[in-house]
Amino acid sequence: MALPPAQPAYILRGHGSQIHATTFIQSNRRLVTGDADGWIVLWSLTIKRPVAVWQAHQGSILGASAWGSDKLITHGKDNKLIVWKLSEEDEASMSTVLPVDTPPEPRKQPWLLHILEVNTMNFCSFAQTEVRPPSSFENEPSEELLIAVPNTMSSETVDIFHLPSSKRIHTIPASPTFKGGMIMALSLFFHPLTHHLTVIAGYESGHTSVACLATSWTTLYISNPHSQPILSLDVDPGKGFYFTSSADAVIAKHPVPVFDEKDREAKEESMPLKIVKTKHSGQQGLRVRNDRKVFATAGWDGRVRVYGVKGMKELAVLKWHKEGCYAVAFADLDGVEEEDGEEDKGKELVGRMGVMTVREEREQKAKMTHWLAVGSKDGKVSLWDIY
């Protein structure tokens, strides 16, 4: 007997236009959603209700991400990238009236810390990476951040800004070996082996490239596995490979080459590690879960597809939305303790919950659940509890 189709655990309603950004913050206690009218809603995953609502931009939200525990970055189609101060304490003074409703008084915005004037002609969201001194620990909050966005004048080149100074510190020129058109997706990180600043880009032409900053910017990899514009890319947490998805039906897995200090003549690799023809065009919002086991895409056909990272096999198709899906986000599993067995895990959880208040139990459950959040053209966000 066939199992009934999976259903979302919760549906979050209240946006008046399509959802373009979803991200979990504050150890999964909060979910940020952003829509095509520039609204940001911060949801409590303990009570599944909004705790802060404001119009962050006068154009569509392209991306949103946390910086530490008390700052939120939003990127809008109004050519602005804004850093807001928003800690749990700040939520008390914020409006909780959803975008579809009219508040009795104007909604307050959070405290604005920084504004960058950036190019948003591409519909490409920003990428970020923290700047850490060698002696710092991974869990320490970083006071410095690098932001990558398409260049204001040339959409084929990448600008890198430094925060909090708001200065542009790098411009990565377009590769002369191919015509990529506009940059559609970006990733930015320091390579764990070489510590070189590394930028991955996906282009309108279907090309993707990896470049690193050694003594100068060096291109390490160029490939063209897609026949249509790249819609999204995401890097494995170990930084050894990354995935791209496109308006075509292909999902590709690519290497992140390591720059060889001895061999200064960089060799541009051109072969993806694997190409899968999925027969489903228009998969975007690709995200890799940080346990490195699965990744997911949001489909224009209203379906979310979950794939295995290792073999890129389709593991699940989640169907609830009747219109196209544009954004997915996984809950952060780094804080979830792995136990040897399900029985031990269950006993420990029961033991802990025996001394917890009801609110603490809910918070613990929200932090431990393997959430997948999906944003759709219908203005709704579906929350799924997946393996």
Side-chain angles (χ1 to χ4, degrees), residues 232-237 241-245 250-253 274 276 278 283-298 304-316 318 328-330 372 386-387:
S232 61
L233 64 84
D234 201 20
V235 185
D236 170 71
F241 55 87
Y242 68 101
F243 297 98
T244 55
S245 72
V250 168
I251 293 177
K253 184 178 185 179
K274 189 167 186 175
V276 175
T278 66
Q283 296 186 66
Q284 66 181 67
L286 190 153
R287 290 292 174 266
V288 182
R289 195 166 71 181
N290 64 357
D291 65 353
R292 307 175 70 180
K293 293 179 180 177
V294 296
F295 68 92
T297 60
V304 172
R305 291 176 172 85
V306 181
Y307 299 88
V309 164
K310 192 173 182 181
M312 297 177 66
K313 289 183 179 178
E314 187 180 279
L315 303 177
L318 308 178
V328 298
F330 282 111
L372 173 64
I386 68 167
Y387 30 74

Side-chain angles (χ1 to χ4, degrees), residues 84 97 102 169 199 224 228 243-244 261 285 303 346 352 361:
W84 311 89
V97 180
T102 304
I169 59 171
V199 173
N224 186 22
Q228 296 287 327
F243 297 98
T244 55
E261 295 283 359
R303 289 167 170 81
R352 283 204 303 263
E361 284 183 24

Side-chain angles (χ1 to χ4, degrees), residues 48-355:
K48 314 300 184 296
R49 290 181 181 171
V51 291
V53 180
W54 76 100
Q55 190 170 18
H57 295 272
Q58 296 300 314
S60 178
I61 300 292
L62 298 179
S65 184
W67 176 10
S69 61
D70 62 347
K71 293 184 284 292
L72 180 71
I73 306 171
T74 62
H75 186 191
K77 199 74 176 67
D78 56 0
N79 300 308
K80 291 181 175 62
L81 185 143
I82 302 178
V83 182
W84 311 89
K85 181 183 179 298
L86 188 62
S87 64
E88 274 197 69
E89 292 73 30
D90 298 321
E91 294 171 6
S93 63
M94 296 293 293
S95 172
T96 59
V97 180
L98 287 159
V100 291
D101 299 320
T102 304
E105 55 189 44
R107 294 177 181 85
K108 176 191 169 186
Q109 288 189 332
W111 188 260
L112 194 153
L113 296 175
H114 308 285
I115 295 184
L116 292 179
E117 299 287 339
V118 295
N119 170 18
T120 55
M121 186 174 71
N122 305 34
F123 285 90
C124 173
S125 181
F126 71 101
Q128 72 185 78
T129 190
E130 293 183 340
V131 180
R132 295 184 177 279
S135 59
S136 71
F137 294 101
E138 192 66 32
N139 57 355
E140 287 181 359
S142 174
E143 299 301 319
E144 295 180 78
L145 199 72
L146 299 183
I147 297 283
V149 289
N151 179 270
T152 308
M153 303 300 291
S154 168
S155 294
E156 294 183 39
T157 59
V158 179
D159 282 341
I160 298 178
F161 290 88
H162 172 270
L163 288 174
S165 71
S166 299
K167 291 180 180 177
R168 184 172 63 184
I169 59 171
H170 298 291
T171 296
I172 307 169
S175 172
T177 60
F178 70 96
K179 290 191 176 296
M182 293 193 298
I183 292 172
M184 306 295 288
L186 285 168
S187 183
L188 178 70
F189 57 91
F190 288 95
H191 198 286
L193 296 179
T194 63
H195 305 294
H196 290 148
L197 186 61
T198 303
V199 173
I200 299 178
Y203 294 86
E204 186 181 14
S205 62
H207 285 82
T208 180
S209 67
V210 180
C212 79
L213 179 61
T215 49
S216 60
W217 284 101
T218 303
T219 302
L220 303 178
Y221 175 80
I222 295 172
S223 185
N224 186 22
H226 300 285
S227 60
Q228 296 287 327
I230 287 178
L231 298 176
S232 61
L233 64 84
D234 201 20
V235 185
D236 170 71
K239 306 298 187 275
F241 55 87
Y242 68 101
F243 297 98
T244 55
S245 72
S246 164
D248 61 20
V250 168
I251 293 177
K253 184 178 185 179
H254 309 268
V256 179
V258 178
F259 181 75
D260 188 349
E261 295 283 359
K262 297 173 184 175
D263 185 3
R264 288 287 174 177
E265 292 297 319
K267 299 174 182 63
E268 294 178 5
E269 300 182 36
S270 60
M271 286 299 295
L273 299 173
K274 189 167 186 175
I275 292 176
V276 175
K277 295 178 180 177
T278 66
K279 300 180 182 177
H280 309 292
S281 59
Q283 296 186 66
Q284 66 181 67
L286 190 153
R287 290 292 174 266
V288 182
R289 195 166 71 181
N290 64 357
D291 65 353
R292 307 175 70 180
K293 293 179 180 177
V294 296
F295 68 92
T297 60
W300 291 352
D301 59 2
R303 289 167 170 81
V304 172
R305 291 176 172 85
V306 181
Y307 299 88
V309 164
K310 192 173 182 181
M312 297 177 66
K313 289 183 179 178
E314 187 180 279
L315 303 177
V317 179
L318 308 178
K319 169 64 174 164
W320 183 84
H321 299 276
K322 292 182 172 57
E323 297 185 68
C325 297
Y326 297 145
V328 298
F330 282 111
D332 182 0
L333 300 190
D334 276 351
V336 178
E337 296 174 355
E338 293 293 336
E339 304 293 338
D340 290 334
E342 287 298 319
E343 189 177 342
D344 293 339
K345 186 176 179 180
K347 284 178 181 175
E348 186 185 346
L349 192 58
V350 169
R352 283 204 303 263
M353 288 194 168
V355 294

